[in-house]
Amino acid sequence: MSRPTAVSSGASDHSARTARPVRRTRPVRRLYAAGPAGSDRLPVVWIPGLGAVNALLPSFSRCAEHTTCHLLDLPGFTAPGRRACNPPMVGPLAGTVTNWLARVPDSPVVLAGHSTGAQVALRAAVRAPGLVRALVLLGMTFPPHLRHTAPLLRAATRTAVREPAGLLGAVVPDYLRAGPLRLTRYLASALGDRPEQALPELSCPVLLAAGAHDPLAPPDWITHAARQTPSGRAVILPGAHGFPYSDPEPTAALVLGATAT
């Protein structure tokens, strides 16, 4: 399997090679790209939740064994003390994704987002239907009953004890890089978002997945959300909210199912 390659946001070379992450401020700060040569599958663009790029790397890497994949590290999560070009909020981030999709890939893509990244992916797919062939929403946040501080904290606590220990080590560096103010701003934006209002506007096929033991994006919420789409379906996978990290094989298989041309 080829290792993820970090390239600049405007790169046209999608071949896999080993490199250090390239830090950018416009429009995508860091881009991992990997994939086999000559694949006839659609490329996949991955959007992380709360800037936690490392939490998606296991599923991204499995998926990249079969098709070209891009993992976007969106603006707004630069190191504390450094100016970000875009605020880390659902709307502006969706605009950044839409602009990137219009500029970089040479074909429509499968857009896959996790957690708050699924909210961003949903908004981008609604804005640019011609650029997104299929949409995969993994653990899309937040159901209405969790859009308040107390129940959200309780759900986050229940989720934390169900996640593998390695996930904490994966996400903490990304969270420290962003800093508490940016994370809080992004979280507030996600809590104010109403994804159920955007789901009926989708024109592409959509697949929603929930972790079987996820209190933050519970299966009943994901099943309800799928029913709001013109052509959506819901799938329940093993694990809690971090299932793309803890269970990358079924997650990657699910995403690859949407890439057939």
Side-chain angles (χ1 to χ4, degrees), residues 66-257:
H66 304 279
T67 191
T68 299
C69 290
H70 308 275
L71 175 53
L72 305 188
D73 188 2
L74 298 173
F77 298 99
T78 51
R82 298 177 63 185
R83 184 181 177 185
C85 64
N86 277 17
M89 301 171 67
V90 171
L93 292 177
T96 296
V97 171
T98 300
N99 292 338
W100 188 91
L101 291 174
R103 194 165 66 88
V104 178
D106 55 9
S107 69
V109 305
V110 173
L111 190 59
H114 175 240
S115 190
T116 59
Q119 295 177 247
V120 172
L122 168 59
R123 296 292 177 177
V126 169
R127 293 185 186 191
L131 303 177
V132 179
R133 183 72 57 82
L135 182 64
V136 183
L137 304 176
L138 306 168
M140 184 181 70
T141 46
F142 289 98
H145 72 280
L146 293 184
R147 294 171 189 166
H148 306 280
T149 302
L152 178 63
L153 289 176
R154 288 194 295 268
T157 300
R158 295 198 306 273
T159 299
V161 300
R162 297 175 180 180
E163 301 289 10
L167 179 59
L168 182 64
V171 301
V172 164
D174 287 327
Y175 291 164
L176 291 177
R177 174 170 59 92
L181 293 179
R182 294 190 181 111
L183 290 178
T184 300
R185 188 176 185 185
Y186 187 9
L187 182 60
S189 172
L191 290 170
D193 185 39
R194 299 293 180 265
E196 66 273 14
Q197 296 176 1
L199 289 166
E201 301 179 39
L202 288 169
S203 59
C204 65
V206 58
L207 180 61
L208 294 95
H213 306 288
D214 183 1
L216 285 174
D220 59 347
W221 155 246
I222 296 301
T223 301
H224 170 76
R227 289 198 290 264
Q228 311 310 305
T229 69
S231 58
R233 64 186 181 96
V235 176
I236 310 303
L237 296 181
H241 194 61
F243 65 86
Y245 179 88
S246 61
D247 293 275
E249 296 291 350
T251 303
L254 190 73
V255 174
L256 284 168

